[in-house]
Amino acid sequence: MIVPRGRISHTLVQSIKYCFWSIFSSLTDEKKIDRLEDSFSKYVGTKFCIAFPHARTALYHLLKEMNLPAGSKIVMPAMTIKFILDVVVSLGLKPVYIDYDMETYSFDISKLDSLKDKDIRVMLVTPIFGVVPNMLQIKGFCEKQNIFLIEDFSQCLNGKILDKKIGSFGKASIYSASSIKTLDTLGGGMLVTSSKDIYTSLK
């Protein structure tokens, strides 16, 4: 079975028009950027949002700002894009993988207890195909083990549990707005958080 990573929901003519606008319009209009950030954070259910060139750029600066010791471990999905892994490795962090749950295409909840390792400092959860994993259990585990939870919800915008949207469970979350995503700006990304400290330091 072949499952597509995403879909392009605009026409070729629209794509050309959007590209034209991005080339000949200002990409540094602070009022428009502020409106986008404010709208997106409210939509997801977080207090703050910062626009970045890419989701991976947001992840890089978030992890860098955490100033983790070299060799710190980050739990990552077994299926991810190379650019995300590049970010992790470039910062001297070690990826850790656990089995997938084939019902949710996310971490197997029953395997979380195997992660009791003091060197694990971060967990990156990436819901894919619009399928919502049990974020309540994942968040509870991270809080108990003092692990910094990050969501990459680029393929699960609008997903939710008990009316709480995916992207609002992590201490910070990233979203890619590339051309196959639900909210598509032909590129760019966002970082959302409800932590004023994270927002202030990254802004």
Side-chain angles (χ1 to χ4, degrees):
M1 180 176 71
I2 297 175
V3 181
R5 278 190 58 220
R7 55 175 280 182
I8 297 175
S9 55
H10 47 75
T11 66
L12 178 60
V13 172
Q14 287 173 323
S15 294
I16 294 171
K17 184 166 64 175
Y18 298 151
C19 285
F20 182 85
W21 282 344
S22 68
I23 293 170
F24 295 102
S25 300
S26 172
L27 297 180
T28 56
D29 186 326
E30 291 188 11
K31 289 184 179 179
K32 287 184 179 179
I33 294 170
D34 287 345
R35 284 203 304 270
L36 171 64
E37 291 174 341
D38 184 58
S39 297
F40 193 72
S41 62
K42 287 178 179 175
Y43 185 79
V44 175
T46 59
K47 293 180 179 179
F48 308 105
C49 173
I50 306 173
F52 280 87
H54 304 279
R56 59 184 178 267
T57 313
L59 179 64
Y60 173 84
H61 286 286
L62 173 63
L63 292 174
K64 186 176 182 181
E65 191 68 22
M66 291 174 67
N67 197 28
L68 298 168
S72 295
K73 297 177 181 178
I74 173 171
V75 181
M76 296 181 60
M79 184 165 63
T80 188
I81 62 171
K82 180 179 179 292
F83 300 120
I84 296 295
L85 182 59
D86 288 343
V87 165
V88 170
V89 173
S90 73
L91 291 170
L93 306 177
K94 291 185 177 180
V96 173
Y97 303 100
I98 56 174
D99 288 341
Y100 263 8
D101 174 358
M102 295 309 294
E103 294 294 320
T104 64
Y105 306 106
S106 187
F107 299 135
D108 184 341
I109 301 293
S110 68
K111 305 287 186 181
L112 290 181
D113 283 338
S114 68
L115 298 176
K116 291 180 180 177
D117 181 338
K118 62 181 177 56
D119 291 329
I120 294 176
R121 306 291 293 276
V122 180
M123 178 182 286
L124 176 64
V125 178
T126 306
I128 56 175
F129 310 134
V131 180
V132 178
N134 192 330
M135 291 305 303
L136 299 173
Q137 276 189 265
I138 292 173
K139 182 179 180 179
F141 173 82
C142 288
E143 288 175 346
K144 187 177 179 181
Q145 299 298 322
N146 196 28
I147 294 173
F148 191 101
L149 177 60
I150 302 171
E151 294 173 83
D152 176 354
F153 63 111
S154 303
Q155 294 193 39
C156 201
L157 185 66
N158 301 318
K160 58 186 178 180
I161 301 176
L162 300 176
D163 293 326
K164 184 174 172 65
K165 287 189 176 177
I166 295 297
S168 64
F169 288 90
K171 289 188 176 180
S173 300
I174 58 172
Y175 178 82
S176 169
S178 65
S179 59
I180 60 170
K181 304 303 190 308
T182 306
L183 172 62
D184 166 9
T185 59
L186 297 180
M190 268 80 79
L191 180 144
V192 294
T193 182
S194 288
S195 166
K196 189 172 184 179
D197 288 342
I198 292 174
Y199 171 76
T200 302
S201 62
L202 290 177
K203 191 68 173 178

